[in-house]
Amino acid sequence: MNLFEHVKHLHDCELYNDLKHLASIAMSLCDNNPDSEVMNLSQKYQCTVFYGNALFHLQEYHKAEDIYKKALHLRKAINKEKVKDKPSSSFELTDEVEVKYKIYECLMATKQCREAMVMLQGISSKQRTPKINLALAKLYIRVGMDRSAITSYKEVLRECPLALEAMTGLMSLGVKGPDVAALVMNGAPNTSDWLSLWIKGQAQLSQRDYMSSIATLSSLDNQSYLHDNTQLLNSLAEAKFCDGQYTQALALFQRIHALDPMQMTNMDLYSYLLAKDRKVKDLLKLSQQLLKITEQSAEPWISLGYYCLATRKVSKTIYFAQKANTLDPYNIEAFLLKGTALLELKKVDDATPHMKEALRLAPHRYEAYTGLIQCYMALYRHREALTWAGKAIKTLGTTARTLTLYASVLAKTPTVIAKAKPYLEKAMKLDPSFLEAVYIMVEILGQEQQYDKGIEILRKQLETHSTCRLHQMLAEFLTQTHEHQEALDQFSIALSLDPSNVRVREGMERVEKQNDMGLESAYDVGVEDMENSEEEEEFEGSDVESAWSDTEFS
């Protein structure tokens, strides 16, 4: 075996560290002894490519990029001189297009996205393989070149009709489901009855028609041949999440994780839902499992960040969110997590740009609107908050969530509180189970001292829901109407649902104290009755008591 064959053998055996050292020596021998026959030009080119591959696998991306570029110069020399000699051993020269793709991978690994795009654009259209077109499509989307992205995705589907990522990519750019189906159905196998439904469901998801998407994808899950498919369930869970059906989405993500504990897609959304429901133990377990799978993806760090946020370790949350953002600069959840943590630390000016960036990347995310509006409200910029709440209605549609979001801004603006009520009434009519609208409406009624109406609404909700906050609010309203015993009962239920709730405990203690004071007062009056019966009878019906009652309830 000659030197080149030894280099090739190390490459074939994937001994990259050894290959790195031997290839470096081989290249020095060639450079320092140009007249020797250490390697011919073709072998030197291929040895350089092998050297670059070794560096790439060892994650020395900057150096690998430099070596691959040297390989391209050698390839140009081969093409220019039209070298016809073949090496004695049988091997194929790595295609020039493949070397350029490797440079693209190095540039992406070092976050040089624009340079990576330029490298791929330098490959002529006829030479672009499906993986090159797919990579270009994603890069075009990042810089807002949607039409070029559509063209690239279509090229992928022309050669690979069942490239599902290319299909979803096209639909996310506004290409209609039937148009995508027309591109792929001719090349699809005869057994793909599921494909038309899958395309329909994905198109509805891309068009933000979440209810229709849920119905379509659910029908696929109910069919035995796609039941428990985690790819399908992920799309279904995402549709439910975006529609605000958090409880159902959480159940689906739990099902996905049970079916495939190695699944990484959308585990950041799953982590958000666990944190929202304060399922701290489940969140810790999930983050630990994800970190064991890989530390090079954003999802494990986001999961860990939400765990820290749920356990009030907010500074660590910011660190983990930043780590996730470094690994994936386009991860929406990383921006939302960091923005939320900064809000918790009252660093509103720092939180605002993170929420804006999340909204720019995902204008369909309700959570991004709420985060940005919270920032503006914290800065007392109510006009901007109201403007963004209006944009939420325009972008996401007139739903219970968006109407409630708009009303929540009005409710916190002293001069226009009354204007919030019609929006809340409409929200409660659209979705009677959407509790956030109920909470805000009851708070407004409390400010207006309309306790009876508030109690009526709360009792109606408690027929179908039982949350700590509902029972707490009912208890507080019952206290105002002097129904102390039932108020205590409601506080007890609230405390059983959330034993750590300080406000509930304080409310209960306050009512108990009022009860004790009432009993003492009744005892004193009873003693005086025995001593001054006639005089006290006159007092009991006096105007003084009526005046006291008027003061109490006015």
Side-chain angles (χ1 to χ4, degrees), residues 438-465:
V438 176
Y439 296 146
I440 298 172
M441 175 64 88
V442 171
E443 284 175 0
I444 292 172
L445 291 172
Q447 291 173 28
E448 295 174 349
Q449 297 185 1
Q450 296 186 48
Y451 301 120
D452 290 334
K453 191 172 181 180
I455 289 169
E456 182 186 345
I457 292 172
L458 289 166
R459 288 192 193 281
K460 187 176 180 181
Q461 284 297 323
L462 284 166
E463 291 174 5
T464 52
H465 299 87

Side-chain angles (χ1 to χ4, degrees), residues 15 23 27 40 43 181 251 255 271 343 346 398 438 466 474 490:
L15 299 176
M27 288 178 65
N40 61 36
Q43 290 174 328
R255 182 178 160 194
S271 300
L343 263 176
K346 310 298 182 187
T398 304
V438 176
S466 181
L474 179 56
Q490 292 298 325

Side-chain angles (χ1 to χ4, degrees), residues 7 13 22 56 60 118 125 127 203 236 258 292 298 380 450 476 525 553:
V7 171
C13 293
L22 185 60
F56 182 84
E60 298 181 34
V118 171
S125 299
Q127 290 181 303
L236 183 56
K292 285 179 182 177
Y380 300 101
Q450 296 186 48
E476 288 171 350
V525 171
F553 293 105

